[in-house]
Amino acid sequence: MTFAAAVTERTRHLKTRLCVGLDPRLKAYRDVDHLRAHTLDVLEVTAPLAACVKPQLAFFEALGLRGFALLEEVCAAARLLGLPVILDGKRGDIGSTAEAYAQGWLGGPHAGDALTVNPFLGFGTLTPFVEAGRRNGGAVFVLVKTSNPDQADLQGHGVSERVAAEVARLGAEEDGEYAGVGAVVGATHPRDLAAFRALMPRALLLLPGLGAQGAAAADLAPAFHPGGTGALASASRAVQYADGLDVAASREAARRLRDELNAALG
């Protein structure tokens, strides 16, 4: 089963559109062992409430070799829990470098089921990632309209719409309910969601920014198709550090966000 099919089936079966982000920040812990234990505990308790999980690669890379080992452990644990994995790496480069990134993050030993990718070196740079995703039944989420305020410096003036058109074109090459080429559209842009949904009708939309960045579940309904599919709302700090390192609080935060998303969709 492809990533797009698996995450959509999980959305329908468990009635959840929540993507739990894992951002293991070393400064929050005594040491790497403490970080490892807490991160795996948060993954386990939130898995029944989530459609997928999104490890942020930067925090694992910052730990060096132990971080890569932990990332592999997190991905393996997620798969045992039936939870699709989006690696948030925002990779993007040219030629053989892009091919190497695609091989490592969509087909290597610490690969995810999906990867966020950066199109701003040109649309041709997406090809190795899209091809790797298709070979492995995975997916890519192309940055279209990111959640940070500074995105307007480069993503305004119709640029995001041009990227959205390319996402839609790539998705049209595939069969299935949803394509393996999705888009990152910040949940912090609620007034733009309906337009991007219309521009990319077969793309899964990854909506970062729920919780700590200020986005509210109640505003996200325009990103979804009837029946509540087609988008995944991501919360990281608001779940993993909902109340310090209290794992029970992480579970309750995930439950609350899941329920708020469901309520927003009626």
Side-chain angles (χ1 to χ4, degrees):
M1 186 179 293
T2 65
F3 170 87
V7 79
T8 302
E9 181 179 278
R10 190 172 174 90
T11 291
R12 289 186 170 121
H13 179 66
L14 295 182
K15 295 181 173 55
T16 179
R17 292 99 187 134
L18 178 65
C19 173
V20 171
L22 295 177
D23 293 8
R25 301 161 185 262
L26 183 56
K27 64 182 181 181
Y29 302 95
R30 294 188 302 272
D31 51 34
V32 176
D33 289 332
H34 188 205
L35 177 152
R36 171 188 173 275
H38 180 259
T39 300
L40 290 170
D41 284 347
V42 170
L43 172 63
E44 182 174 3
V45 301
T46 60
L49 304 163
C52 59
V53 63
K54 182 174 71 65
Q56 168 53 257
L57 290 186
F59 294 103
F60 292 88
E61 291 171 349
L63 301 173
L65 292 177
R66 293 196 68 181
F68 283 98
L70 175 58
L71 178 63
E72 291 185 18
E73 194 173 0
V74 165
C75 290
R79 291 188 179 107
L80 284 175
L81 293 164
L83 201 57
V85 178
I86 302 173
L87 295 181
D88 194 355
K90 302 179 179 69
R91 294 303 195 261
D93 216 312
I94 61 172
S96 59
T97 310
E99 292 173 4
Y101 276 137
Q103 178 182 349
W105 295 117
L106 287 165
H110 43 256
D113 304 301
L115 175 71
T116 59
V117 295
N118 188 332
F120 290 100
L121 275 75
F123 293 152
T125 65
L126 296 176
T127 300
F129 298 101
V130 172
E131 290 179 347
R134 289 172 177 168
R135 281 196 305 271
N136 298 304
V140 297
F141 285 90
V142 181
L143 304 185
V144 171
K145 182 83 167 174
T146 55
S147 59
N148 58 305
D150 292 340
Q151 57 78 30
D153 294 344
L154 296 176
Q155 295 171 29
H157 310 292
V159 173
S160 291
E161 288 75 11
R162 286 181 61 194
V163 180
E166 179 65 8
V167 169
R169 186 193 71 79
L170 290 168
E173 299 173 353
E174 301 181 21
D175 297 324
E177 182 179 8
Y178 292 104
V181 183
V184 177
V185 179
T188 50
H189 309 295
R191 289 178 294 180
D192 298 327
L193 294 178
F196 284 114
R197 176 75 282 168
L199 286 170
M200 299 175 286
R202 295 188 58 246
L204 288 173
L205 304 184
L206 178 61
L207 313 173
L210 190 62
Q213 292 188 57
D219 298 329
L220 304 186
F224 293 84
H225 284 134
T229 60
L232 303 159
S234 178
S236 301
R237 284 170 287 172
V239 173
Q240 187 166 2
Y241 305 110
D243 184 8
L245 301 180
D246 185 338
V247 174
S250 294
R251 181 181 61 244
E252 290 310 308
R255 187 188 311 279
R256 175 180 55 79
L257 290 168
R258 179 205 61 181
D259 292 348
E260 288 176 358
L261 286 164
N262 289 347
L265 295 169

